[in-house]
Amino acid sequence: MYTALSISYGDMGTDIAVGAQLLNSAHPEQGIITFCILGWALFAQAVTATLMGQGLRGIVASLFGGKPIYDTYHAVAETPMSQSQQYDHDTLLMVTHVIEVCYESVPLGLYTTVLLVQAPAEERSMVQMMSVLASVLAIAFMTATSARDKDFHPVNRREQSQIIGWFPSDPWPQTVTFVSLNLFIGGVFTAKMTSLAVLFTASATVGTAWLVSEWLGVLAPPLGAD
């Protein structure tokens, strides 16, 4: 939990640093967009806290970027659930990391990569590169952790034995599998961000159309099943 917490705030910290740097650059509108994306991610956390029944404290913590700390504290301390709370603390922490990845790490990682590809070599900063790497690390670690936790869940292993149970139980094989999964996810996402950044640099219209077509491709099978 503490590793995930450190990665969460490392990712957020580099995003804030990039936004501040861009506000003082020749293109301050890029900094405004960066902070708008970050603000949207915090708002999404607040909406989630509301829907999950976490009360005013959870909502305020979300709006000020404290949701990962808030949920990690309750999960580690095993504090009693409030009457309005919809799920246990561990589940809420997992949801917080999912929202973080979907609304912050992915869009800001892609946007910063686009800026790096478009900028001349002398305008590319180390802070931007660190922000992209932090986004990749957050996405890879959170995704790999979710996959591992789901695989080890006793209910999943009992009810979905045909597809669950591939994670080794022995410490060293488990560590190797987890690290390998992080490297695989991180590599795939880095390649994806770079290719999309090049596409957006060539044509924003084509890049947007490509993303829309991918989303429709993902959504079409579930919608068709209904």
Side-chain angles (χ1 to χ4, degrees):
M1 289 184 182
Y2 296 115
T3 302
L5 188 64
S6 299
I7 292 174
S8 293
Y9 283 102
D11 187 19
M12 183 182 293
T14 55
D15 291 336
I16 293 173
V18 167
Q21 185 181 68
L22 291 172
L23 286 177
N24 295 315
S25 69
H27 304 282
E29 69 279 0
Q30 295 175 350
I32 294 174
I33 293 174
T34 297
F35 280 114
C36 284
I37 296 174
L38 183 58
W40 172 247
L42 298 179
F43 176 74
Q45 294 282 20
V47 171
T48 303
T50 303
L51 296 175
M52 296 296 178
Q54 291 185 276
L56 183 60
R57 291 182 180 179
I59 296 171
V60 172
S62 300
L63 291 174
F64 287 92
K67 191 66 158 50
I69 291 179
Y70 182 85
D71 288 337
T72 299
Y73 165 73
H74 286 288
V76 172
E78 298 181 349
T79 58
M81 291 175 54
S82 64
Q83 292 182 348
S84 62
Q85 191 170 312
Q86 301 295 317
Y87 299 96
D88 61 79
H89 299 311
D90 290 334
T91 300
L92 292 177
L93 178 59
M94 181 188 69
V95 172
T96 293
H97 289 316
V98 170
I99 297 297
E100 174 195 345
V101 167
C102 293
Y103 288 86
E104 180 187 346
S105 300
V106 171
L108 278 175
L110 176 58
Y111 182 65
T112 306
T113 303
V114 171
L115 296 182
L116 282 172
V117 171
Q118 292 178 346
E122 62 273 11
E123 293 184 10
R124 296 171 185 166
S125 70
M126 183 61 66
V127 175
Q128 288 176 306
M129 295 180 185
M130 289 176 61
S131 179
V132 172
L133 289 176
S135 294
V136 171
L137 178 60
I139 293 164
F141 185 84
M142 303 304 178
T143 305
T145 301
S146 296
R148 182 192 60 191
D149 293 346
K150 180 178 180 180
D151 188 82
F152 277 116
H153 198 287
V155 175
N156 292 335
R157 290 206 165 191
R158 183 175 64 251
E159 297 181 354
Q160 305 177 39
S161 58
Q162 293 181 340
I163 58 174
I164 297 294
W166 56 273
F167 237 99
S169 298
D170 295 333
W172 277 110
Q174 183 183 142
T175 300
V176 171
T177 302
F178 183 72
V179 171
S180 300
L181 188 58
N182 272 272
L183 293 173
F184 172 75
I185 296 171
V188 169
F189 187 74
T190 301
K192 184 70 174 180
M193 285 199 307
T194 304
S195 60
L196 283 173
V198 172
L199 190 59
F200 270 100
T201 300
S203 171
T205 302
V206 174
T208 301
W210 182 270
L211 280 180
V212 171
S213 66
E214 284 194 343
W215 276 109
L216 291 176
V218 171
L219 294 174
L223 293 176
D226 294 337

